[in-house]
Amino acid sequence: MNIGLTGGIACGKSTVSAMLVRRGAILIDADRIAREVVEPGSPVLAEVAAHFGQDILLPDGSLHRKKLGEYVFRSEEARRKLESLLHPSIRSLMKERMEASERDFPDKLVVVDVPLLYESGLEGMFSHVMVVYVPREVQLKRLMARDTLTVEQAEARLEAQWPIERKKELADILIDNSGAIEETDKQVELYMLNRGLL
């Protein structure tokens, strides 16, 4: 059995994925895969540099994430172009790892952490989608604190994703992470118990 795990930026997906892993789930992290596909010398990184310019590369040939971020957070068109370059390789690797995990560990829950799951139309890849939720004002506050951003910078990052309320409506499983960490943990525990995974 597998689930897609998503939410909004600064909603606490990492916290919830760690809780699931502690209870025996296998985690596949789409962000980690996204970093792998743009390692120095990779064909995907070469394509990204060819499109966005060589200034998105650091002297050692690795990706200058901050510089690339400046382009994509400013322009919807740039973000779409970047996604079209990255997503095919990310999806293919994600699917490969999901299938291998399900084959090798048939009695375990396979959790795939995908930040832009709904935005990328990937819900069909999973048995269920779990959304980690906090209200937008909490999300904004946490994001500003976590990344030391101004209100404007944090708002721009939130605007780059679907509103958290929309994701909440679409969720098969909802984990509300706006309270104490113990409350979130209880919800995860209950989910695993109800699925017969504990």
Side-chain angles (χ1 to χ4, degrees):
M1 188 184 148
N2 66 61
I3 60 168
L5 176 69
T6 195
I9 192 168
C11 282
K13 265 188 310 68
S14 304
T15 303
V16 170
S17 65
M19 290 171 178
L20 289 162
V21 167
R22 245 193 344 266
R23 290 171 171 88
I26 293 168
L27 180 68
I28 296 167
D29 185 341
D31 274 348
R32 190 167 293 146
I33 291 173
R35 284 191 290 277
E36 283 177 40
V37 301
V38 289
E39 280 175 355
S42 72
V44 175
L45 183 58
E47 281 184 63
V48 172
H51 181 81
F52 289 97
Q54 296 303 309
D55 65 333
I56 62 122
L57 295 177
L58 290 164
D60 67 358
S62 64
L63 179 63
H64 191 320
R65 292 180 185 286
K66 202 168 184 182
K67 179 66 81 179
L68 183 60
E70 287 168 17
Y71 290 121
V72 298
F73 281 120
R74 269 196 311 243
S75 153
E76 176 75 20
E77 193 185 326
R79 189 167 62 250
R80 283 216 183 98
K81 179 61 185 174
L82 180 64
E83 287 169 358
S84 76
L85 294 171
L86 300 181
H87 285 184
S89 299
I90 295 169
R91 280 178 197 177
S92 153
L93 209 44
M94 209 162 67
K95 203 168 191 309
E96 203 177 286
R97 290 188 185 164
M98 269 171 71
E99 287 167 358
S101 298
E102 287 179 49
R103 185 182 59 245
D104 299 344
F105 306 98
D107 57 332
K108 292 198 179 284
L109 175 68
V110 177
V111 177
V112 188
D113 180 339
V114 189
L116 301 176
L117 188 149
Y118 287 119
E119 291 87 336
S120 306
L122 297 179
E123 54 271 41
M125 280 179 78
F126 309 103
S127 310
H128 297 98
V129 175
M130 177 183 279
V131 171
V132 182
Y133 170 82
V134 299
R136 193 179 195 278
E137 58 276 12
V138 175
Q139 194 183 5
L140 190 64
K141 224 177 277 179
R142 287 183 183 175
L143 180 58
M144 287 167 66
R146 187 189 78 185
D147 296 354
T148 37
L149 300 174
T150 64
V151 179
E152 292 75 23
Q153 290 170 319
E155 289 276 6
R157 279 163 176 72
L158 290 187
E159 291 305 318
Q161 301 183 345
W162 282 13
I164 193 61
E165 297 300 330
R166 186 171 174 195
K167 294 181 183 185
K168 179 185 179 183
E169 285 166 21
L170 292 168
D172 298 310
I173 310 132
L174 189 72
I175 301 290
D176 187 330
N177 190 33
S178 52
I181 198 93
E182 295 77 18
E183 290 170 30
T184 304
D185 200 56
K186 270 185 208 150
Q187 294 171 65
V188 171
E189 178 90 1
L190 196 59
Y191 168 75
M192 296 293 273
L193 279 168
N194 288 342
R195 292 275 171 213
L197 293 160
L198 286 178

